[in-house]
């Protein structure tokens, strides 16, 4: 009898963990766009999709729950997003903050995202860490609720409020989406609020409400687990059965069906935003859901009207210097879509005039119709974007997960591409007539002040109370059903297998007689080529004439404005026809020409690259427009607290007379001094192969690419001397510098000093990077845990050393809620001082070594990652095996060494403490911290009565 009982238990256990059905297997097809996979369904309803790809020793795990803000109810918004936060706060067998800790110390990355229709959680890790990731995800799917406490609930509620403050209330134009949603959708419609929810809703709920929401929507039968990368599908199935098989199904989830949104007339709405300079005019028409038969044609219409330099909106508003930006876009969701047209007019113009001109564009479009070139460009860009989206295992897994969640078909990528490549001119005209022409819209005006007139007086005010006309959910009968695992002990974290062997990309090098240094690697995963030409100098060259700071960046902007044979519009159109991109931009130390193309269009793209590099157009009208846009952009940044903080902080760090105290874009006074002749002269003097570095990554060999780059090899240019700059730390005694941003919802904090370090892959900089990792370099760092996870004062806080070929600062930074400003400064300085005085703990040292030591598996996967790796080698003249040298340093690093670096580098008595926030409400608290307080204006200049003594 005993033997029979044991046999029955074994059979039951086997059944519990092995009833998994293979639904389909899709192989790779030569010459076709396919993401190969195997699809399974567990007995509890969990869908499992596996993508096998051994190109890199990494694995990506994605759990997508088919629940977003659309499953919330009136007066209970923000739950799905709230749970995105709560799911990282520990579960029954995973301690507080340990989810981030375990993933980070494995060398991986992780996050979660929420939108209207789904929530996903994902990790990318070395392939030996798969068991740990499955254990973590299964524990929060089946064992989260026992670990949810009121204390965690309160901390994360505060964190979400700070996210709302940082990304919405305190950000320029941050509230237009909230106003738009409430105005477009009926009262109570689940799209009538944003995913982040309303603060008043978060304030009225308690932890029990949140638990009920989890029980209703987060069962395995409402989830898709997608795993891709260096895995064996048979082994993956067994592991998933082990970790997820015993989790009970949740309540059945039926598809949500709502009537299409309609408007009976134009709805005019407006609000004042004190953080902006340019007013915003926004038209939004209700359209169709994702995957609707009309979606692709509407996307095409959106591109024709407002994407690229040949678009109607660009020509009507930007080219004529009426607006700094103007565009259209067509985002869609599971239940509805929104066709949006917007303009950001320069100040001093009437929004009513812009409304008329937007309507005139629609009339003009109807008269002109759609051209073959319009369709050609649209299809080329969609195909290019689709292929480039498959560059990483994360990109492929995310696509499989989305197709399974919303189509029930992971193999939808070819069908998706097909419906876009099938769009015709007639389709575009048809959807224009059906959804846009003569149809009512929400017309929103965002105003910089109360004196600015909206496009028309408001005629609509979203309802804020009344009966809910939409269905509600009965949460009363839900209860937690703890999984029964038999003898499986979930309290023990799985032991990872042996770390995978990481192969640094095989590289080739070449140096040309004109001074250009070339480095490349062949990558055959997708048929694309990425080329990066770096010309050293950038903003640093502005030091030769500081009165024209911003010249390097304005010259780069002009390089995007066509060639002597092609106007700016014509040049961009040639690129759009082949789905390629060429962009030129300048930063602090370099100008970069970034080129991306499908392999089949490489020759055409390089011909355009040669033309723009050797024959820039430099047209006066283009210059006038770019200069005006630059100046207005600078003026606009003067209202943004984060931009103000960056500007003032650089002034305090580098000193008033240093070129780096001025942004790369310049300031209004210096840009005003720049002429087109200055741009031409800068190009002639400093666009030269003598300071050039070339990186090639893609589906092309050295022998194939070099002949195609002969125009660069034959390039002649002047010898460039980059000015040598002096860097002196003049901070002196630690002080608080206060910039008054009246009634700011958040305060921006920057703390730091100018170091004497330059970049060194195996020297002082690398050692300092290791030291800072536990202080402010990782999510689980002391600074972030204190200010975000313990106090709930910020959406995120960190510290870092920002150095390159020149010395740069150590900086600690965060945006914090206004009423915690003084407390945040105190905690920042307390945490940094404690780390300096008492050093790293043995546990932190072990965490740092594990985390950084295993990161290499994720370092060379995408073309962008490979390009960054190669650029470091060629720019800093590094040994190709420098990563191995770094690992030796890491493995030998001791607590004593880290502690000494902290004492040397954390100069707590010589730091700038910058606060940009509301002075009236913060000044008394800041005084109590005991530092001298210096008052500055938004340009970093002293104001009258600027110095105030602090007191204990």
């Amino acid at each position: 009898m005993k033997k029979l009982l044991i046999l029955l238990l074994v059979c039951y256990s086997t059944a519990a963990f092995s009833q998994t059905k293979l639904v389909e297997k899709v192989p790779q097809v030569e010459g076709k766009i396919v993401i190969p996979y195997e699809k399974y369904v567990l007995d509890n309803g969990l869908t499992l999709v596996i993508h096998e790809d051994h190109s890199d020793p990494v694995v990506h795990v994605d759990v997508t729950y088919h629940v977003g803000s659309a499953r919330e109810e009136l007066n209970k918004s923000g739950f799905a997003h709230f749970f995105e936060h709560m799911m990282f706060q520990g579960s029954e067998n995973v301690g507080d903050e340990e989810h981030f800790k375990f993933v980070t110390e494995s060398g991986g990355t992780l996050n979660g995202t929420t939108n209207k229709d789904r929530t996903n959680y994902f990790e990318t890790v070395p392939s030996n860490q798969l068991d740990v990731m499955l254990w973590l995800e299964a524990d929060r799917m089946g064992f989260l609720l026992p670990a949810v406490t009121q204390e965690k609930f309160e901390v994360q509620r505060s964190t979400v409020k700070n996210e709302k403050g940082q990304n919405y209330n305190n950000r320029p134009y941050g509230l237009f989406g909230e106003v738009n949603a409430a105005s477009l959708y009926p009262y109570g419609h689940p799209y009538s609020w944003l995913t982040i929810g309303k603060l008043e809703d978060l304030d009225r709920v308690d932890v029990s409400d949140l638990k009920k929401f989890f029980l209703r929507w987060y069962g395995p039968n409402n989830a898709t687990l997608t795993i891709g990368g260096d895995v064996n599908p048979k082994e993956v199935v067994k592991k998933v059965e082990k970790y997820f098989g015993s989790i009970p199904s949740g309540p059945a989830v039926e598809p949500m069906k709502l009537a299409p949104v309609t408007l009976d007339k134009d709805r005019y709405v407006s609000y004042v935003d004190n953080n902006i300079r340019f007013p915003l005019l926004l038209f939004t028409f209700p359209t169709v859901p994702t995957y609707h038969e009309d979606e692709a044609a509407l996307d095409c219409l959106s591109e024709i009207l407002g994407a690229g330099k040949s678009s109607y909106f660009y020509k009507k508003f930007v080219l004529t210097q009426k607006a700094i930006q103007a565009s259209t876009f067509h985002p869609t969701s599971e239940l509805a879509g929104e066709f949006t047209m917007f303009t950001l007019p320069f100040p001093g113009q009437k929004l009513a005039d812009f409304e008329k001109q937007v309507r005139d564009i629609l009339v003009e479009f109807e008269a002109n119709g759609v051209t073959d070139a319009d369709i050609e460009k649209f299809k080329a860009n969609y195909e290019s974007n689709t292929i480039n989206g498959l560059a990483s295992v994360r990109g492929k897994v995310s696509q499989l997960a989305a197709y399974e969640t919303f189509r029930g078909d992971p193999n939808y990528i070819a069908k998706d591409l097909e419906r876009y490549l099938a769009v015709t001119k007639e389709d575009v005209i048809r959807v224009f007539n059906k959804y846009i022409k003569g149809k009512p819209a929400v017309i929103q005006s965002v105003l910089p002040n109360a004196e600015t007139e909206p496009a028309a007086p408001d005629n609509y005010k979203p309802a804020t109370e009344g009966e809910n006309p939409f269905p509600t959910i009965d949460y009363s009968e839900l209860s937690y059903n703890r999984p029964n695992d038999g003898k499986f002990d979930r309290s023990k974290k799985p032991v990872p297998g042996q770390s995978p062997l990481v192969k640094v990309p095989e590289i080739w090098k070449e140096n040309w007689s004109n001074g250009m240094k070339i480095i490349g690697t062949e990558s055959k995963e997708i048929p694309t080529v990425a080329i990066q030409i770096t010309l050293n100098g950038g903003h640093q060259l502005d030091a030769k004439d500081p009165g024209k700071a911003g010249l390097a960046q304005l010259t780069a902007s002009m390089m995007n404005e066509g060639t002597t044979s092609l106007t700016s519009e014509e040049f961009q159109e040639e690129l759009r026809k082949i789905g390629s991109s060429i962009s030129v931009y300048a930063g602090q130390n370099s100008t970069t020409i970034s080129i991306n193309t499908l392999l089949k269009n490489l020759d055409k793209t390089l011909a355009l690259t040669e033309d723009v590099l050797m024959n820039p157009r430099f047209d006066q009208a283009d210059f006038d427009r770019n200069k005006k846009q630059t100046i207005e952009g600078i003026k606009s940044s003067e209202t943004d607290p984060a931009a103000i903080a960056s500007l003032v902080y650089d002034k305090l760090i580098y000193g008033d007379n240093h070129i780096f105290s001025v942004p790369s874009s310049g300031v209004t006074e210096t840009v005003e001094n720049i002429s087109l002749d200055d741009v031409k002269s800068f190009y002639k003097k400093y666009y030269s192969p003598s300071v050039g570095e070339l990186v090639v990554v893609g589906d092309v060999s050295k022998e194939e690419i070099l002949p195609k780059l002969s125009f660069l090899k034959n390039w002649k240019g002047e010898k460039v001397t980059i000015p040598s700059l002096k860097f002196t730390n003049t901070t002196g005694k630690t002080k608080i510098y206060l910039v008054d941003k009246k009634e700011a919802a958040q305060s921006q904090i920057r703390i730091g000093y100018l170091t004497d370090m330059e970049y060194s892959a195996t020297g002082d900089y690398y050692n300092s990077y290791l030291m800072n990792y536990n202080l402010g370099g990782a999510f689980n760092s002391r600074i972030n845990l204190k200010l975000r996870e313990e106090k709930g004062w910020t959406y995120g806080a960190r510290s870092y050393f920002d150095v390159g070929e020149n010395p740069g600062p150590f900086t600690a930074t965060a945006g914090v809620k206004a009423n915690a400003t003084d407390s945040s400064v105190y905690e920042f300085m307390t945490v940094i001082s404690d780390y300096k005085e008492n050093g790293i703990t043995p546990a932190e040292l072990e965490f740092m070594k594990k985390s950084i030591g295993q990161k290499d598996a994720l370092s060379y996967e995408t073309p962008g990652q490979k390009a960054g790796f190669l650029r470091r080698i060629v720019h800093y003249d590094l040994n190709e095996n420098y990563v191995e040298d770094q690992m030796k340093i890491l493995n030998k690093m001791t607590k004593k060494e880290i502690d000494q670096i902290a004492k040397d580098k954390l100069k707590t008595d010589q730091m700038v403490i910058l606060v940009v926030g509301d002075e009236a409400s913060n000044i008394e608290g800041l005084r109590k911290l005991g530092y001298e307080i210096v008052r500055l204006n938004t340009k970093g200049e002293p104001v009258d009565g600027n110095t105030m003594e602090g007191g204990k």
Side-chain angles (χ1 to χ4, degrees):
M1 184 69 183
K2 185 175 182 181
K3 289 183 179 180
L4 178 60
L5 179 59
I6 292 174
L7 179 62
L8 287 172
L9 286 172
V10 171
C11 291
Y12 173 80
S13 178
T14 304
F17 297 117
S18 64
Q19 291 188 22
T20 301
K21 299 175 183 177
L22 173 63
V23 177
E24 62 181 341
K25 185 174 182 177
V26 174
Q28 183 68 61
V29 179
E30 188 69 29
K32 300 289 185 180
I33 297 180
V34 177
I35 309 173
Y37 68 89
E38 295 179 15
K39 175 180 172 180
Y40 299 84
V41 176
L42 276 65
D43 193 46
N44 58 9
L46 176 67
T47 299
L48 169 64
V49 180
I50 306 169
H51 165 65
E52 186 176 5
D53 176 2
H54 300 290
S55 57
D56 294 282
V58 301
V59 61
H60 185 79
V61 176
D62 178 292
V63 180
T64 297
Y65 295 92
H66 198 166
V67 56
S69 56
R71 293 293 188 175
E72 297 162 357
E73 297 180 16
L74 190 65
N75 300 324
K76 294 183 179 180
S77 66
F79 276 21
H81 174 258
F82 202 145
F83 250 105
E84 179 199 319
H85 284 251
M86 292 300 296
M87 294 276 260
F88 289 104
Q89 300 309 304
S91 47
E92 183 174 308
N93 301 295
V94 182
D96 297 357
E97 316 306 336
E98 283 192 338
H99 197 112
F100 268 96
K101 177 179 181 292
F102 288 149
V103 177
T104 305
E105 73 178 6
S106 75
T109 61
L110 73 160
N111 212 332
T113 67
T114 311
N115 65 25
K116 296 174 181 177
D117 309 306
R118 64 101 187 100
T119 305
N120 72 336
Y121 303 90
F122 50 88
E123 301 88 12
T124 308
V125 293
S127 53
N128 66 314
Q129 299 286 339
L130 176 59
D131 275 87
V132 178
M133 300 308 111
L134 297 178
W135 171 70
L136 288 170
E137 288 294 354
D139 211 62
R140 60 181 174 187
M141 180 185 284
F143 300 86
L144 179 79
L145 292 187
V148 173
T149 64
Q150 186 68 35
E151 181 182 5
K152 291 180 183 180
F153 174 85
E154 294 298 344
V155 169
Q156 291 309 309
R157 172 153 56 185
S158 182
T159 300
V160 171
K161 287 182 178 181
N162 281 300
E163 182 180 356
K164 181 76 181 291
Q166 180 172 317
N167 293 340
Y168 297 86
N169 301 46
N170 213 39
R171 176 171 290 179
Y173 310 100
L175 294 176
F176 87 84
E178 191 167 80
V179 173
N180 225 45
S183 303
L184 180 65
Y185 295 100
Y187 177 68
H189 190 288
Y191 284 0
S192 67
W193 53 81
L194 299 186
T195 302
I196 198 165
K198 299 178 180 179
L199 294 185
E200 58 267 28
D201 289 351
L202 292 175
D203 281 335
R204 68 166 58 96
V205 301
D206 60 27
V207 69
S208 63
D209 294 313
L210 207 66
K211 287 182 176 182
K212 291 175 182 177
F213 190 81
F214 178 85
L215 289 169
R216 180 65 187 84
W217 302 111
Y218 291 79
N221 52 307
N222 197 36
T224 297
L225 170 61
T226 310
I227 299 167
D230 187 19
V231 298
N232 180 308
K234 290 183 179 180
E235 293 179 0
V236 170
V237 172
K238 293 178 182 177
K239 295 175 188 293
V240 170
E241 288 173 340
K242 174 183 177 180
Y243 293 107
F244 291 86
S246 66
I247 300 174
S249 296
V253 176
E254 298 297 327
M256 180 177 281
K257 295 180 181 179
L258 295 178
V261 174
T262 59
L263 304 178
D264 55 355
K265 64 178 181 179
D266 286 329
R267 295 178 177 178
Y268 289 90
V269 294
S270 66
Y271 76 96
V272 174
D273 184 343
N274 293 319
N275 289 323
I276 66 173
R277 173 174 171 80
F278 309 109
L280 169 69
L281 180 65
L282 196 77
F283 281 66
T284 304
F285 299 86
T287 62
V288 299
T290 308
Y291 305 116
H292 188 279
E293 60 183 6
D294 290 339
E295 180 191 18
L298 282 163
D299 286 350
C300 185
L301 173 63
S302 174
E303 280 205 11
I304 294 169
L305 289 177
K309 293 185 176 180
S310 68
S311 70
Y312 289 83
F313 272 67
Y314 184 86
K315 288 180 177 179
K316 187 82 168 182
F317 299 115
V318 180
L319 195 61
T320 57
Q321 300 186 43
K322 295 178 180 177
I324 192 168
Q325 286 183 41
S327 187
T328 63
F329 46 93
H330 180 233
T332 59
S333 302
E334 189 175 18
L335 303 175
E338 303 167 9
F339 194 97
T340 299
M341 310 183 298
F342 83 94
T343 62
L344 286 174
F346 286 119
Q349 302 173 88
K350 293 184 178 180
L351 290 183
D353 294 337
F354 277 78
E355 180 191 351
K356 180 181 183 304
Q357 291 174 68
V358 168
R359 296 187 185 280
D360 289 344
I361 284 175
L362 299 181
V363 174
E364 184 181 353
F365 165 77
E366 184 181 20
N368 293 341
V370 181
T371 67
D372 291 333
D374 291 331
I375 300 297
E376 179 187 5
K377 289 179 292 183
F378 172 72
K379 293 179 180 180
N381 277 281
Y382 192 85
E383 180 186 28
S384 178
N385 292 336
T386 298
I387 293 173
N388 278 290
L390 307 180
S392 68
V393 67
R394 174 181 171 181
K396 288 178 278 192
V397 165
S398 299
Q399 197 66 78
L400 289 169
Y403 286 143
E404 171 58 32
T405 300
F406 297 114
R407 299 298 299 174
D409 179 10
N411 192 32
Y412 195 73
I413 188 167
K415 299 171 190 172
D416 208 3
L417 181 59
E418 180 182 345
R419 69 191 179 105
Y420 276 82
L421 297 184
V423 169
T424 66
K425 294 185 288 186
E426 291 75 20
D427 289 332
V428 177
I429 294 298
R430 176 178 53 78
V431 298
F432 170 75
N433 289 327
K434 185 175 182 179
Y435 301 102
I436 309 299
K437 180 186 175 182
K439 301 298 187 292
V442 171
I443 304 171
Q444 182 181 166
S445 302
V446 184
L447 312 172
N449 50 60
E451 289 71 43
T452 304
E453 292 184 1
D458 289 5
N459 69 352
Y460 182 79
K461 187 174 182 179
T464 56
E465 58 184 12
E467 290 189 14
N468 183 11
F470 290 88
T472 59
I473 302 295
D474 182 7
Y475 289 92
S476 62
E477 300 300 320
L478 298 173
S479 61
Y480 175 55
N481 186 8
R482 190 180 186 282
N484 181 6
D485 287 316
K487 295 183 179 180
F488 175 35
D489 186 0
R490 290 183 184 265
S491 66
K492 294 180 181 179
K493 175 192 170 189
V495 178
Q498 184 175 355
S499 296
L501 180 64
V502 180
K503 293 182 180 180
V504 174
E506 292 185 11
I507 65 176
W508 53 265
K509 292 181 178 180
E510 181 135 331
N511 293 327
W512 289 334
S513 59
N514 61 4
M516 183 81 76
K517 300 175 182 178
I518 306 93
I519 189 169
T521 187
E522 189 173 358
S523 176
K524 290 187 167 294
E525 292 181 40
I526 55 175
T528 64
V529 179
I531 298 173
Q532 188 180 90
I533 304 169
T534 301
L535 305 177
N536 291 305
H539 181 46
Q540 189 166 341
L541 292 166
D542 289 342
K544 294 189 175 185
D545 190 353
K548 296 179 180 179
L551 178 55
Q553 191 171 107
L554 190 53
T555 302
S557 296
M558 287 299 296
M559 293 294 293
N560 294 300
E561 296 291 347
T563 71
T564 52
S565 60
L566 294 170
T567 66
S568 177
E569 176 191 331
E570 291 168 341
F571 183 79
Q572 290 298 322
E573 291 312 290
E574 289 302 311
L575 284 172
R576 288 175 62 80
K577 286 177 184 177
I578 55 178
S580 299
S581 66
I582 301 171
S583 60
V584 187
Y585 50 92
Q588 193 174 70
N589 302 112
S590 63
T591 295
T592 302
I593 300 98
S594 180
I595 303 122
N596 291 279
T597 179
L598 297 180
L599 178 62
K600 66 181 181 180
N601 296 322
L602 176 60
D603 290 344
K604 292 180 181 178
T605 305
L606 289 179
L608 290 167
T609 302
E610 178 181 5
D611 198 20
V612 76
L613 187 57
M614 304 303 173
N615 309 301
R617 189 172 185 84
F618 293 152
D619 179 80
Q620 184 67 50
D622 291 334
F623 172 77
D624 293 341
R625 172 171 41 81
N626 275 273
K627 180 175 177 177
K628 181 177 181 180
Q629 287 176 327
T630 300
I631 291 172
E632 292 296 340
I634 292 168
K635 291 179 178 178
S636 177
S637 69
E638 294 170 1
T639 64
D640 180 1
I644 294 169
S646 296
L647 173 72
V648 176
Y649 182 69
D650 283 347
K651 265 198 158 188
L652 294 170
I653 289 295
Y654 292 105
D656 286 342
N657 298 318
H658 200 284
I659 192 62
F660 289 168
S661 71
V662 180
S664 296
S665 60
V667 293
T668 302
E669 295 80 8
T670 62
V671 177
E672 289 281 11
N673 295 332
I674 299 173
S675 68
L676 181 58
D677 285 339
D678 293 323
V679 167
K680 293 177 179 178
S681 176
F682 189 95
Y683 165 78
K684 183 178 180 181
K685 289 179 180 178
Y686 304 127
Y687 278 59
S688 167
S690 68
V691 287
E693 296 161 358
L694 175 62
V695 175
V696 180
V697 177
D699 189 9
V700 63
S701 67
K702 175 183 178 182
E703 292 72 25
E704 291 170 325
I705 191 64
L706 284 182
K708 299 177 187 294
L709 298 174
S710 58
F711 69 94
L712 292 174
K713 188 173 185 178
N714 299 326
W715 183 18
K716 306 297 182 185
E718 295 189 17
K719 180 69 176 177
V720 176
T721 301
I722 299 174
S724 179
L725 304 178
K726 292 183 178 180
F727 294 85
T728 306
N729 181 13
T730 58
T731 299
K733 184 180 178 182
T734 299
K735 301 183 184 70
I736 292 176
Y737 296 86
L738 178 59
V739 177
D740 186 17
K741 186 70 173 80
K742 296 187 185 303
E743 299 181 357
Q746 275 197 325
S747 295
Q748 289 288 330
I749 297 174
R750 307 285 187 273
I751 300 172
Y753 75 99
L754 180 62
T755 74
D756 58 1
M757 284 191 298
E758 297 177 7
Y759 176 85
S760 54
T762 55
D764 198 15
Y765 165 74
Y766 182 68
N767 292 333
S768 298
Y769 160 73
L770 298 180
M771 178 277 293
N772 178 69
Y773 195 73
N774 286 287
L775 174 63
F779 183 90
N780 279 65
S781 67
R782 292 191 188 185
I783 287 174
N784 196 55
L785 288 182
K786 174 62 73 172
L787 270 74
R788 172 180 161 136
E789 298 303 303
E790 180 182 329
K791 300 295 185 179
W793 293 337
T794 181
Y795 185 48
R798 63 192 181 107
S799 62
Y800 56 93
F801 289 92
D802 184 15
V803 304
E805 50 266 59
N806 294 307
F810 164 80
T811 303
T813 176
V816 302
K817 66 178 184 179
N819 64 1
T821 301
D822 57 321
S823 300
S824 297
V825 172
Y826 172 81
E827 294 294 354
F828 256 124
M829 295 304 294
T830 299
V831 170
I832 296 171
S833 297
D834 178 69
Y835 196 73
K836 174 180 180 176
E837 295 303 319
N838 300 312
I840 195 171
T841 67
E844 288 174 327
L845 181 64
E846 181 184 10
F847 167 77
M848 182 264 289
K849 288 187 174 185
K850 285 183 178 180
S851 176
I852 297 176
Q854 298 183 85
K855 274 187 174 182
D856 268 4
L858 279 63
S859 298
Y860 318 110
E861 185 191 6
T862 67
Q865 288 173 315
K866 290 183 174 77
F869 172 69
L870 297 187
R871 167 100 208 294
R872 279 192 298 276
I873 290 177
V874 71
H875 184 65
Y876 293 108
D877 194 24
L878 301 178
N879 185 304
E880 294 175 22
N881 299 318
Y882 80 90
V883 175
E884 295 178 12
D885 297 331
Q886 288 182 332
M887 291 304 100
K888 292 176 184 176
I889 295 170
L890 174 69
N891 292 330
K892 292 180 180 178
M893 187 63 70
T894 65
K895 171 178 165 52
K896 183 178 180 181
E897 289 173 312
I898 291 288
D899 290 353
Q900 187 58 52
I901 297 169
K903 290 183 184 298
D904 294 341
K905 300 299 182 184
L906 301 177
K907 301 181 184 296
T908 50
D909 57 342
Q910 300 175 42
M911 286 189 175
V912 165
I913 302 175
L914 173 65
V915 176
V916 179
D918 181 60
E919 179 181 316
S921 59
N922 289 315
I923 188 63
E924 290 305 317
L926 291 173
R927 279 194 177 117
K928 293 176 183 178
L929 298 179
Y931 300 102
E932 177 184 341
I933 300 175
V934 180
R935 296 168 64 236
L936 304 173
N937 63 19
T938 56
K939 295 184 178 181
E941 302 163 338
V943 298
D944 293 338
N946 67 309
T947 302
M948 296 177 282
E949 294 296 328
K952 293 291 185 183

